Amino acid sequence: MDVLVVGGHGKIALRLLGLLAARGDRARGLIRKPGQAADLEAVGAIPVLGDLEADASLEAYVKGADAVVFAAGAGPGSGAARKATVDLGGAVKLTDAARALGVRRYVMISSIGADRPEAADGPMLPYLQAKADADRHLIASGLDYTIIRPGSLTDDPGTGRVNLTTTLGNRGPVTRDDVAAVLAEILHTPATIGTVAELFNGETPVPEAVNSLHP
Ligand SMILES: NC(=O)c1ccc[n+]([C@@H]2O[C@H](COP(=O)([O-])OP(=O)(O)OC[C@H]3O[C@@H](n4cnc5c(N)ncnc54)[C@H](OP(=O)(O)O)[C@@H]3O)[C@@H](O)[C@H]2O)c1
């Protein structure tokens, strides 16, 4: 399977690319800084140079993919303008490129709170609004989406056990290791198409949690 992970040098993305490459997938990561290419190659992934914000279209990178993953983010230090160009604009460009090329499978890293952005304040408000709008655009596109909304991300070692739930509005932490493991499993589990789920540290083994996710 050829998978393009956008935001390819992100902390979840690098973990995911490594898992996909180890499984024998063609794991491609979109990065905008050539200096990051070696880190992708070190996990067995193929670096693809491009910029979510500067490039008018992502079609050149999406071409040939069987699935795309949105793992980019403007980051906590960024203002509302970059939430609009990366968290919303980048995700929308990826949706539109996938749709134009007939690449049907799209896995989105969204966020807890995107079900009710209006409940947030401060910098979280434009962030969650961008995430909510990006999710809505993807759902409306008709593509084969799975939208995962992780809790607060940590760099603690993964446990291989999670709480993956379609009941929205929860809070809690989740390791980036376990988010990557869940995304890798989802990419090979078509029954998850059409679902929106929150993801936390938990007790259910990842394959079992993903296998019980269906619309
Ligand atoms: N932090 C949390 O608690 C939390 C909770 C729920 C969901 N999330 C979401 O989880 C996702 C992944 O998180 P993470 O911690 O793995 O992210 P991360 O390490 O901050 O990675 C984000 C990546 O996006 C890339 N990026 C930014 N602008 C770009 C552009 N114009 N073109 C191409 N790439 C660009 C960055 O590349 P550069 O190095 O070039 O900047 C970076 O590699 C994000 O969507 C985030 O919003 C986070």
Side-chain angles (χ1 to χ4, degrees):
M1 185 183 242
D2 183 308
V3 183
L4 178 73
V5 179
V6 164
H9 195 265
K11 296 193 201 84
I12 292 174
L14 271 177
R15 289 164 165 85
L16 173 61
L17 286 165
L19 293 174
L20 296 175
R23 200 171 57 186
D25 287 331
R26 189 161 189 266
R28 298 188 291 129
L30 187 79
I31 53 172
R32 57 180 174 160
K33 298 170 183 159
Q36 295 174 340
D39 291 337
L40 273 72
E41 285 161 356
V43 300
I46 301 165
V48 177
L49 270 183
D51 191 314
L52 276 180
E53 293 162 280
D55 291 335
S57 161
L58 302 181
E59 286 183 31
Y61 319 120
V62 171
K63 197 161 188 244
D66 299 303
V68 296
V69 178
F70 186 80
S78 62
R82 288 201 69 238
K83 314 283 190 224
T85 54
V86 181
D87 297 291
L88 175 57
V92 165
K93 271 185 205 172
L94 187 61
T95 301
D96 294 349
R99 193 151 180 248
L101 292 166
V103 174
R104 295 207 48 81
R105 189 74 172 110
Y106 191 128
V107 176
M108 173 80 93
I109 306 181
S110 179
S111 174
I112 53 163
D115 58 314
R116 244 167 40 93
E118 65 283 358
D121 51 17
M124 287 307 280
L125 178 57
Y127 169 68
L128 291 177
Q129 193 62 59
K131 287 301 218 185
D133 291 348
D135 291 355
R136 201 172 11 250
H137 185 78
L138 174 57
I139 291 167
S141 71
L143 292 177
D144 292 340
Y145 67 85
T146 303
I147 295 174
I148 295 302
R149 294 181 170 162
S152 307
L153 300 173
T154 76
D155 289 330
D156 295 341
T159 63
R161 291 174 178 267
V162 295
N163 171 18
L164 183 63
T165 173
T166 53
T167 305
L168 305 180
N170 307 284
R171 292 281 179 275
V174 62
T175 72
R176 289 182 170 89
D177 281 351
D178 288 322
V179 176
V182 164
L183 297 175
E185 194 78 21
I186 280 173
L187 282 162
H188 282 249
T189 312
T192 63
I193 288 168
T195 56
V196 181
E198 293 184 349
L199 176 60
F200 305 96
N201 293 337
E203 295 303 324
T204 311
V206 166
E208 189 182 317
V210 170
N211 277 324
S212 61
L213 184 62
H214 46 76

